[in-house]
Amino acid sequence: MTRLWDKRASLDARVLQYTAGEDYALDERLVRYDVRASIAHAQMLHAQQLLSVDDLALIRTGLQQLGEEHERGQWRIELADEDVHTALERRLTARIGEAGGRVHLGRSRNDQVLTALRLYLRDAIDELDTGTQGVVAALERLSARQGDIALPGYTHMQQAMPSSVAWWAEGFAAELRDDARGIHSVHRRIENNPLGSAAGYGAPGLPLDRAATTRALGFERTQEPVTSVQLSRGKAESQLLFELAILMQDLGRLAADLLLFYTQEFGFIDLPDAFTTGSSIMPQKRNPDVFELVRARTATALACLNEALFICAKLPSGYQRDLQLLKFPLFRGIDIAGQTLQIVAAALDALTFRPERIHLDPAVHAAQEAYAIVVNEGVPFREAYRRVAARYTHKE
Amino acid sequence: MTRLWDKRASLDARVLQYTAGEDYALDERLVRYDVRASIAHAQMLHAQQLLSVDDLALIRTGLQQLGEEHERGQWRIELADEDVHTALERRLTARIGEAGGRVHLGRSRNDQVLTALRLYLRDAIDELDTGTQGVVAALERLSARQGDIALPGYTHMQQAMPSSVAWWAEGFAAELRDDARGIHSVHRRIENNPLGSAAGYGAPGLPLDRAATTRALGFERTQEPVTSVQLSRGKAESQLLFELAILMQDLGRLAADLLLFYTQEFGFIDLPDAFTTGSSIMPQKRNPDVFELVRARTATALACLNEALFICAKLPSGYQRDLQLLKFPLFRGIDIAGQTLQIVAAALDALTFRPERIHLDPAVHAAQEAYAIVVNEGVPFREAYRRVAARYTHKE
Amino acid sequence: MTRLWDKRASLDARVLQYTAGEDYALDERLVRYDVRASIAHAQMLHAQQLLSVDDLALIRTGLQQLGEEHERGQWRIELADEDVHTALERRLTARIGEAGGRVHLGRSRNDQVLTALRLYLRDAIDELDTGTQGVVAALERLSARQGDIALPGYTHMQQAMPSSVAWWAEGFAAELRDDARGIHSVHRRIENNPLGSAAGYGAPGLPLDRAATTRALGFERTQEPVTSVQLSRGKAESQLLFELAILMQDLGRLAADLLLFYTQEFGFIDLPDAFTTGSSIMPQKRNPDVFELVRARTATALACLNEALFICAKLPSGYQRDLQLLKFPLFRGIDIAGQTLQIVAAALDALTFRPERIHLDPAVHAAQEAYAIVVNEGVPFREAYRRVAARYTHKE
Amino acid sequence: MTRLWDKRASLDARVLQYTAGEDYALDERLVRYDVRASIAHAQMLHAQQLLSVDDLALIRTGLQQLGEEHERGQWRIELADEDVHTALERRLTARIGEAGGRVHLGRSRNDQVLTALRLYLRDAIDELDTGTQGVVAALERLSARQGDIALPGYTHMQQAMPSSVAWWAEGFAAELRDDARGIHSVHRRIENNPLGSAAGYGAPGLPLDRAATTRALGFERTQEPVTSVQLSRGKAESQLLFELAILMQDLGRLAADLLLFYTQEFGFIDLPDAFTTGSSIMPQKRNPDVFELVRARTATALACLNEALFICAKLPSGYQRDLQLLKFPLFRGIDIAGQTLQIVAAALDALTFRPERIHLDPAVHAAQEAYAIVVNEGVPFREAYRRVAARYTHKE
C-alpha cells in the first residue's frame, strides 16, 4: 500500500507513527463529511468540464458506497492510510480505477480537511444544542415539580436573601439557554467555504468554480482571499471550545451547588442510589461522584481550549502540520461536553429537594425590612440600612 | 472615613489591603459608567415615587459634577474607598447630604458593578474595533504600495506555490476584519441589563421598574430571572478576552512572518531605524523588537483569558467575591490588545518589501504544471502529479 | 458481576459510563503496580496478625498469577470493573475464594491508587530519563560529526555573533541534561508512602504497620499525617507534567531552529526522505512534518499540565472523585514526551548540516572588533562600540 | 538623554512605549542586584587587567552610591531609560565620567538581566519560605489551641471517618512544609552563573574569568556552554511559578474548607468582624471575602505560570525580546503569593472553631465497626463490610 505522495524512499515507520499517530483514528468521524465534500467537488469539476460525466458517476457511486460501508463498520481508516482523505482516495481508486485519481484535481488536503471539519461542526453544534436543551428541560421539570420550595439565596456562600428552587433552577436554565446561543454563534466562523483554496494559494491555471461548492455544501459564502483560509484554521474550533468552556463552567457551578446541598450539613437534596456510588472501605457511604466529575470536567474543557489556542499561536502563516493536532482537543471537548450534558439532565430528573431540611435564617429578610422602612418612613436607604443592621449585630 | 457597610470593628488594615488591593485603582476607568448608571437608577426611583424630584436633582447634579471632576483628574479613588461605588456614594453624600444615602435603594454593588462593566465594554469594543480597522487599513495601504511584488506562498515553512505581497497582506486583512466581527459579537452578552437584580435576588417589597433602566441605558433587554445575573458574570469578559486571543493570534502570526522575512537569510523586508532597536554589546545590530513583543503578547492574551475563566470555574452560584478579580485580566487584555494594534499599524506603514531579495524556487509552479498536463492531456491528476514529481526528484 | 461496594440498586448504566469512562482503560498500566502494592499490604497484614499465613500465600500467588496473565494479555480491565483495584480484587476472589475478600482490610482505593501511581511514576521517570539521554547522545553525535561547521549565532533572529554547530548542539544538550535532572527531582514528591492512610483518615482500631510497607515498597518515608495524603494527590503528577513542559519547550525550540534552517532561504540542513513527507497537491514538496509536530506538542504538554493543576484547584480537602481524572493528562503527557524524545533523537541522527549554504555576515565580528580596540587602545568599551558602530551604519 | 545603543534616528516614541512599556517600572526591584553583579563584573575585569584599579574604585563607589540612593527613593528608572541596566550605566557615566563606559566590557544585557534575576530570586525564595512557615506556624497554633475538637473527616464532601481540628490543621501544615521545600528546589536552576555568556555567544577575544564572578556572587557553578544560557531563560522563573501554583492550590483548598465551614449550615467556625466584610445592601451580612479571594488567587497563580511558559514556547534559540515579558508574571506571581501567605496566617490566628455546632454522623464509625468485626470474628473484610453496610441501608 502506498500513500498518495509516496515518491521515493519508504517512510520511516517511526515517522509514520509519530506523524499519523492518533490522527487516523480521529478521522473516523470525518468520513461521511469528506465523502459529501468530495462529491460536491467532483460535481463542480464536471460542471467546469474537468471531469467526464462517466467519471463523475463512478466517483459519486464509489464514494457513496464507501461512506455507507464505513457507516456499517465494514472498513476503518488504517495507520498506513495516514488520514481520512488518503483512505478514501486509495479505496476509491482501488474500486473504480483511474477515475479515482481524478478527484483530487484542484484541491489539497489543506482545504479538504477544513471543509470536512466545518461540515462536521455543523452537526456537532446541533447535537450540543440538543444536549443543552435537554438540561434546560430537566431544570424546568424540576422547577415545575418542586419550584415552590423556599431556598436561601446565597452570596459569598452566606445566606443572603430569600430565594426558591424555581429561581435556582430557572437562573441556570436561562444561562444554559444563553450558552446554547453561544454555541450557535460559532456558525459565523464555519459558514465560510474553504474548498478550492487548495494548499492555501488557489489552483493556478484551473477554472474552478468555488461558488458552486459553496452552494452545493450549503455554506453562506466562499472564503476569500485564499490566503486567509489557513489563517482561519483553528478559530472556529477554538470558539466552539470556548463556548463549551462557558457551558461547562455553568454545569460545574450547578454541580458545585448540588455538592454543597448534598452534604449532611446542608441536606437539601436527596439522590437515588443509582446516582451515587459507594466506598470500598466505608460501608455507609453514598457518594455524589457524578457531580464531582462534572465539576472536574471544567478542567478538561479549559485544557482543550488551551491546547487548541496554543497549537495555532506564533505559527508563521500558511498551512503548518501543527494544525492537524487541533482535532484531538476539538473532538475531546465536544465528546466530554455531550456526555456531561446527558448525565446532568438525567441527574436533575433524579434528585429531590428536601424542604424539611431547608431552613432560612430570618436575617435573609433584613434588606426587605430596610426597604419597608424606606417606603413607610421616607428615610434614606442608608439610614434604614443602619437601623436594621443594629438589629442583627450578633450573627445568629 | 467609613465604608458603607462599616458597622462595628474597624476593618483590619491588612484585610483592606488584601481585599481592595488592586481594585480601587482598576475602578478608575469605571467612574464615568457608574455615574451614568447611577443617574439612570435614580431617575427610575423617582419615576417609581421612591425618590423626590428635589433629591433626584441633587443626585443627578452631584454625580455629574463628580464625574466631570474625576475626568479632570481632581480626585482619585482611594484604597480606603475600596471601590468606585463606595467612592462615589461617599463623595456624593459629603456633597449633597442625606439625599446621597437614597441612591443605593434597590440595588447592590453586585448589579451595579456589572452594569458599569457592560457600559464600559461597549466603549472598549468600539475602540478595539477602531484599532483593528487601523491594522486592516495599513495592510491595504501595503497592498496598494507593494502588492504586485511576487512572494513565495509557504506551507510547512517551505516554498509551495506562487503568491504576492497583496495576497499576503489581504489574507491577514480578511482575518482581522473577521476578528473585528468576533469582537462585536460580544455585544450579545453585554446587552442584558443587570440593574435591579440587586445582590442577585431582586429587591423584595420595592416597586422597581427594571425596564426603565434598560431603556435609559440602551440595553436590549432586562436580564432575567435575577438569579441568572451573577451566573453570567465573567462570561462577556471571557468572551471578549477569547476574541482578543484570536486577534492576538493573528497579529502574532503576522509578526512571526515578518520576523522570518527580516532575517538576513530571507531579507525580504526592511524596517526603518525608528522601528528597530540596537544591542548594548553588538554595534552592528538592528533588532525587530516590536515584532518579537507582538509575538510574545499572544502569551499575555492567553493568560488573561485563562485567568478570567479560572476565576469563575467551580464557584457555587450567587455572587462570590472571587468575581471581583475579573477586572484585572479584562483590563490588561484590552489594554495590551489596543497597544499592540496601534504599534502593528504603525510598523506596517513603516516596512518595505525588497523585491530584489525575494527569489521564488521554480518548483513552486509544479502544481500548475500538473494542472496543465491534466487540462491538456486529460490524464488523471494523480498521474500528472507523478509525472511532474519525477522532474523534481532531487530538491534544489 | 458486581462491584465491591454494590449494595442495593444496580448502578445506572449511564452513571457507570460517565464515572468509569476512560478510567478502566487507563488503569491497564497500573495493574503491575497494584499487584506489587497489594502483596506488600498483605504481607504487612500477616505480620500484624490480621491475615493467616495460608491466606497470605493464596493472595500472593493469586495476585502474581493475575499480574503475569495480564502482562501476557490474557485479561483486560472491563468497564464494569470500574478500575484496576476492583478488577484485581474481583478476579482474585473468583480465583482463591474468601481470602480475596481479606486483602482490602485497612486500605481504601484512595491510598491504593496513589501508591500504584507513585510506583508507576518511578518507572516513568526512568524511561523519560533514558529518552532524554537518547536525544543528548544524538546531539553529541551531531557535534562530533559536524561540530566544526561555523554557524551564525542569532539574537532576535538576527545574525549576531559567530557560533558553530558544536555550540548549537551542545547548548541544547546541556539544557536537556538539566531537564533530565528536573524530571528526576519529581522523586522528592513520589517517595512518600501513602499506603495505610486509607480513605485519608487512617484505619481506626486496626494495628497497621505503615513503616513495613514503606520498607517493602522502597519508599523513603511514610507520608504523615494521614490527612496530608489526599492533599498531596496531583502534586507529583503536576510536577512531572511541569518538567515535561520544560523538556518539550526545549524540544520545541530545537524544532523551531531546525524548521528555520530547513527553509529554502536558510538551507542550512538537509533531511533524508524518510524524515520528510510529501504533499497531496504539490509534487515537488518535501515537508519537515516531524519538527512541526514536535513544535505543536509543546501545546499538548502545556494543556496536560493545565488540566492536572486545574482539576485539583479549589477543591475542599479530603478525597474528591475529581482527582481520578488526573490520570488522563498524566499518562498523555508522559506518552507524548516519550514518543517525541524518540523521534527527535532519530531525526537528529538523520539530518546533515550543509556548510556550503551557511554564510556568516561579516558584521557578526563587530563585538570582537570593539573588544580588540578596547584591549589594544585602552579606550572605554562604550567608545569602541561607537567607533565600530559607525562602520556598520548601513545594514548589509 | 540617549540610550546606550542609540546610533542614528531617534527612536519612535510609540516604539519606546511599546517596547519598554511596563519594563522600566518592573526593573525597580532589580536595581540592587544589578549593582551587585556589576561590581563583581568590574572586579573580574580588573583582575583580568581589563580595568585599571582607579576605574574600578570609581565604578564600585559610583554603583554603591547609586544603589543606596535608589534604596532611599532618590531616583527611579524612567521610561526613557528603558531598563535597569541602561539606567545604571547612564547615571554612572554621568557621575564618574569615561570610566562608566568601561563597565559593560564583555557582557550584554542578555546575561546581565539573567544574573540580576537569579540574585533576586534567591531573596524571593527566602521571603516566600518565611511566609509559608508563617502559615505553618499559624496552623500549629490552631492545632495547639483547638486541636482536640472532633471534626468529621470528609471524602466526596460527605462525612466519612472521624477526624479532628488537629488532623485538619496538621494535614495542611505538612503539605505547606512540603511546598516550602518545593520552592527551595528552584535553587537548582538559579545557582548557575550566566555572567560572561554575554549575548549568548561569549566574548571572543576577551580574557574573561567567568569562574571569578561565579565565586564573587556565590553561584554554585558557571553555566556552560554559553549557548545554553539563553535557552535556560524562563525555566527557573516558570519553576518558581509552578511551585507557587502548588502552594496557592493548598491555600485555595484550605480556603475552600473554611468557606464551607463558615456557611450557616455548617457553622463550624467563627471569624472576627475584622476578617469579614459587610454588604452594601443586606444589613445583616458578614462575608468571608478574604477566603474567597484566596480561592480566586489560585487562578492568578495558574495564569502567571501559563504566561511564563507560553512566552518561551516555540521560540528559536538565542535571546529573543519576548523573554523580557517574563518579568511581569514572575513578579506578579511572587507578590500575590507573598500577600496571600500573610493574610492566611493572620486569618488562621483569628478564627475559632465552634465545637457546639460540629456534629459527627454516627455512620462515620462504620469502617471502624467493620474492622472490629474482622479483628474479633476473623471474617474477611469484605464480609464485615457487607454486614455493616446493611445497618446503614438508609442514609441518616
Side-chain angles (χ1 to χ4, degrees), chain C residues 52-269:
Chain C
S52 73
V53 68
D54 291 348
D55 284 348
L56 171 60
L58 282 170
I59 287 168
R60 186 196 284 124
T61 311
L63 284 170
Q64 280 167 343
Q65 285 174 352
L66 283 168
E68 287 157 16
E69 289 162 20
H70 182 267
E71 209 84 16
R72 287 195 299 268
Q74 292 175 272
W75 62 275
R76 286 277 162 268
I77 306 173
E78 295 158 32
L79 173 59
D81 283 329
E82 258 196 278
D83 55 33
V84 59
H85 320 298
T86 311
L88 276 171
E89 184 175 333
R90 192 170 63 77
R91 282 177 178 73
L92 182 66
T93 302
R95 181 164 304 193
I96 67 168
E98 195 197 72
R102 292 181 184 276
V103 74
H104 205 63
L105 181 67
R107 71 178 185 184
S108 155
R109 287 181 296 180
N110 296 359
D111 57 338
Q112 203 179 343
V113 67
L114 202 41
T115 307
L117 273 170
R118 288 183 181 169
L119 296 176
Y120 160 72
L121 283 174
R122 265 192 214 155
D123 285 359
I125 286 172
D126 281 350
E127 275 184 48
L128 289 162
D129 181 43
T130 303
T132 308
Q133 301 305 341
V135 178
V136 169
L139 285 162
E140 286 167 346
R141 283 190 296 272
L142 171 61
S143 183
R145 207 163 66 228
Q146 298 197 288
D148 291 343
I149 297 171
L151 211 57
Y154 295 87
T155 65
H156 304 260
M157 297 178 69
Q158 296 293 300
Q159 293 201 9
M161 304 272 288
S163 183
S164 67
V165 168
W167 261 15
W168 180 86
E170 287 163 20
F172 277 107
E175 285 307 298
L176 287 166
R177 271 187 222 104
D178 192 69
D179 296 343
R181 284 190 288 271
I183 289 168
H184 270 289
S185 73
V186 179
H187 272 292
R188 199 181 70 69
R189 280 196 168 101
I190 62 177
E191 294 307 336
N192 297 312
N193 181 16
L195 207 56
S197 66
Y201 304 94
L206 275 191
L208 299 185
D209 178 6
R210 295 185 64 198
T213 55
T214 298
R215 282 189 306 275
L217 295 168
F219 284 111
E220 283 175 22
R221 68 195 76 79
T222 304
Q223 191 168 9
E224 299 197 280
V226 287
T227 42
S228 72
V229 173
Q230 292 305 320
L231 283 171
S232 74
R233 180 92 186 261
K235 290 186 182 179
E237 293 90 327
S238 298
Q239 189 184 349
L240 182 57
L241 290 171
F242 168 76
E243 294 293 345
L244 294 180
I246 291 291
L247 170 72
M248 293 300 290
Q249 175 180 303
D250 278 332
L251 297 176
R253 297 186 70 174
L254 183 145
D257 275 0
L258 294 174
L259 287 166
L260 209 57
F261 294 169
Y262 189 68
T263 58
Q264 278 95 337
E265 289 76 9
F266 276 73
F268 286 9
I269 59 166

Side-chain angles (χ1 to χ4, degrees), chain B residues 152-175:
Chain B
Y154 295 87
T155 65
H156 304 261
M157 296 178 69
Q158 297 292 300
Q159 293 202 8
M161 305 272 289
S163 184
S164 66
V165 169
W167 261 15
W168 180 86
E170 287 163 20
F172 277 106
E175 284 307 297

Side-chain angles (χ1 to χ4, degrees), chain B residues 28-29 97 100 107 177 179 183 218 302 335:
Chain B
E28 287 291 329
R29 71 177 75 186
R107 70 177 186 185
R177 270 187 222 104
D179 297 342
I183 289 167
L302 279 171
D335 291 351

Side-chain angles (χ1 to χ4, degrees), chain A residues 101-160:
Chain A
R102 293 182 182 276
V103 74
H104 204 64
L105 180 66
R107 71 177 184 185
S108 155
R109 287 180 297 181
N110 296 358
D111 58 338
Q112 203 179 343
V113 66
L114 201 42
T115 308
L117 272 170
R118 288 181 181 169
L119 296 177
Y120 160 72
L121 283 174
R122 266 193 213 154
D123 284 359
I125 286 172
D126 281 350
E127 275 185 47
L128 289 162
D129 181 42
T130 304
T132 308
Q133 302 304 343
V135 178
V136 169
L139 284 163
E140 286 167 346
R141 284 190 295 271
L142 172 61
S143 184
R145 207 164 67 229
Q146 300 198 286
D148 292 343
I149 297 172
L151 211 56
Y154 295 87
T155 66
H156 305 260
M157 296 178 69
Q158 297 290 301
Q159 292 202 7

Side-chain angles (χ1 to χ4, degrees), chain C residues 4-5 7-8 50 89 98 101-102 104-107 110 153-157 161-163 167-168 170-172 174-175 178-179 181-182 188-189 199 201-206 223-228 230-233 235 238-239 242-243 246 249-250 252-253 256-257 260 295 298 302 305-306 309-310 312-321 368 371 374-375 378-382 385 389 393-394, chain D residues 4-5 7-8 50 89 98 101-102 104-107 110 153-157 161-163 167-168 170-172 174-175 178-179 181-182 188-189 199 201-206 223-228 230-233 235 238-239 242-243 245-246 249-250 253 256-257 260 295 298 302 305-306 309-310 312-321 368 371 374-375 378-382 385 389 393-394:
Chain C
L4 301 182
W5 42 266
K7 293 192 286 277
R8 291 167 295 178
L50 292 163
E89 184 175 333
E98 195 197 72
R102 292 181 184 276
H104 205 63
L105 181 67
R107 71 178 185 184
N110 296 359
Y154 295 87
T155 65
H156 304 260
M157 297 178 69
M161 304 272 288
S163 183
W167 261 15
W168 180 86
E170 287 163 20
F172 277 107
E175 285 307 298
D178 192 69
D179 296 343
R181 284 190 288 271
R188 199 181 70 69
R189 280 196 168 101
Y201 304 94
L206 275 191
Q223 191 168 9
E224 299 197 280
V226 287
T227 42
S228 72
Q230 292 305 320
L231 283 171
S232 74
R233 180 92 186 261
K235 290 186 182 179
S238 298
Q239 189 184 349
F242 168 76
E243 294 293 345
I246 291 291
Q249 175 180 303
D250 278 332
R253 297 186 70 174
D257 275 0
L260 209 57
R295 175 178 60 186
T298 59
L302 279 171
L305 170 60
N306 268 319
L309 283 171
F310 200 51
C312 300
K314 305 188 188 184
L315 294 183
S317 67
Y319 177 81
Q320 312 285 337
R321 183 70 182 257
Q368 188 167 4
Y371 291 154
V374 170
V375 171
V379 303
F381 171 68
R382 197 52 67 204
Y385 173 100
T393 299
H394 295 294
Chain D
L4 300 184
W5 42 265
K7 294 192 286 276
R8 291 167 295 177
L50 293 163
E89 184 175 334
E98 195 195 75
R102 293 182 183 276
H104 205 64
L105 181 67
R107 71 177 185 185
N110 297 359
Y154 295 87
T155 66
H156 304 261
M157 295 178 69
M161 305 272 289
S163 184
W167 261 14
W168 180 85
E170 286 163 20
F172 277 106
E175 285 308 297
D178 192 68
D179 296 342
R181 284 189 288 270
R188 198 180 70 70
R189 279 196 169 102
Y201 304 94
L206 276 190
Q223 190 167 10
E224 298 197 283
V226 287
T227 41
S228 73
Q230 292 304 321
L231 283 171
S232 75
R233 180 92 187 262
K235 290 186 181 180
S238 298
Q239 190 184 348
F242 167 75
E243 294 292 345
I246 291 291
Q249 175 181 303
D250 277 332
R253 297 187 69 175
D257 275 0
L260 209 56
R295 175 178 61 187
T298 58
L302 279 171
L305 170 61
N306 267 313
L309 285 170
F310 284 169
C312 300
K314 304 190 188 181
L315 295 182
S317 66
Y319 176 81
Q320 312 286 336
R321 183 72 182 256
Q368 188 166 6
Y371 290 155
V374 171
V375 171
V379 303
F381 172 68
R382 199 49 68 205
Y385 172 99
T393 300
H394 295 295

